[in-house]
C-alpha cells in the first residue's frame, strides 16, 4: 500500500513539473510574438509568481519519491548484467536526479543551472523520461 501511495504522489508531482515545462516551452515562449516586450514580461511574471510556489517543491517531491520507487523495483543485477528494465530505469533515474539537482540548486541555493539556462533541455529530459517509461516494460 505504501508503494502505491508513494507512486501516486510521484506521478502528481511529476505531472506538475512536466506540465510547467510543457506550458513554458509550447505556449509561454510563443506569446512574445503577440505582445510587446513589456507586456510579455508582465504576463510571464504574473504566471511565474504562482509557478515559483508550486513547481520547485513538486520537482523535489518527484525526485525523492522517484528515489524511493527505484529502490523498490530495481532488483538485483544478474550475472548477465543489467536487464532492459534496469538499464532504462537507470537512465530515467539519472535524468530525474539531474533535473532535481539543477532545479534545487537554482531555486534554493541561487546557483545557476547546469549547462543551459533555458527550459528547453529540462523539457527534452522530461519528454525522454516519459518515453523511457513506456519502453522499459517492453519484453526484449
Amino acid at each position: 500500500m505504501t508503494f502505491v501511495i508513494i507512486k501516486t504522489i510521484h506521478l502528481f508531482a511529476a505531472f506538475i513539473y512536466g506540465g510547467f515545462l510543457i506550458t513554458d516551452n509550447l505556449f509561454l515562449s510563443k506569446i512574445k510574438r503577440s505582445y510587446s516586450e513589456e507586456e510579455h514580461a508582465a504576463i510571464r511574471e504574473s504566471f511565474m509568481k504562482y509557478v515559483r510556489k508550486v513547481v520547485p517543491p513538486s520537482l523535489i517531491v518527484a525526485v525523492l519519491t522517484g528515489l524511493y520507487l527505484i529502490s523498490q523495483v530495481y532488483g538485483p543485477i544478474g550475472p548477465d548484467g543489467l536487464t532492459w528494465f534496469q538499464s532504462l530505469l537507470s537512465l530515467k533515474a539519472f535524468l530525474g536526479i539531474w533535473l532535481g539537482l539543477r532545479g534545487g540548486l537554482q531555486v534554493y541555493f541561487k546557483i545557476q543551472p547546469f549547462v543551459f539556462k533555458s527550459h528547453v533541455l529540462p523539457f527534452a529530459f522530461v519528454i525522454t523520461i516519459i518515453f523511457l517509461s513506456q519502453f522499459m516494460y517492453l519484453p526484449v
Side-chain angles (χ1 to χ4, degrees):
M1 186 61 168
T2 302
F3 182 84
V4 173
I5 292 169
I6 299 289
K7 189 170 186 176
T8 303
I9 292 168
H10 177 75
L11 288 172
F12 279 120
F15 286 150
I16 291 169
Y17 179 69
F20 159 70
L21 288 173
I22 291 168
T23 302
D24 186 45
N25 282 284
L26 297 181
F27 302 110
L28 289 179
S29 62
K30 308 299 185 258
I31 63 173
K32 287 181 183 179
R33 299 176 189 158
S34 301
Y35 296 96
S36 69
E37 194 62 38
E38 298 84 25
E39 290 171 322
H40 174 258
I43 292 168
R44 184 165 177 82
E45 185 53 37
S46 68
F47 179 75
M48 292 303 289
K49 73 180 176 182
Y50 299 108
V51 165
R52 287 185 195 105
K53 293 176 184 175
V54 177
V55 172
S58 70
L59 173 59
I60 300 304
V61 168
V63 171
L64 293 176
T65 55
L67 290 173
Y68 169 79
L69 293 171
I70 196 172
S71 74
Q72 301 301 303
V73 300
Y74 197 76
I77 298 173
D80 295 334
L82 297 176
T83 64
W84 174 258
F85 176 82
Q86 290 170 325
S87 298
L88 295 186
L89 190 57
S90 297
L91 181 55
K92 278 180 59 175
F94 173 79
L95 296 175
I97 291 168
W98 188 94
L99 288 168
L101 283 173
R102 178 192 185 273
L105 290 173
Q106 180 184 13
V107 172
Y108 298 112
F109 298 103
K110 306 301 182 217
I111 297 172
Q112 285 306 311
F114 307 142
V115 186
F116 299 106
K117 293 183 181 183
S118 75
H119 291 138
V120 175
L121 185 64
F123 173 71
F125 280 7
V126 166
I127 297 300
T128 303
I129 289 170
I130 291 168
F131 279 104
L132 289 172
S133 297
Q134 301 309 305
F135 295 132
M136 63 192 234
Y137 291 102
L138 291 176
V140 177

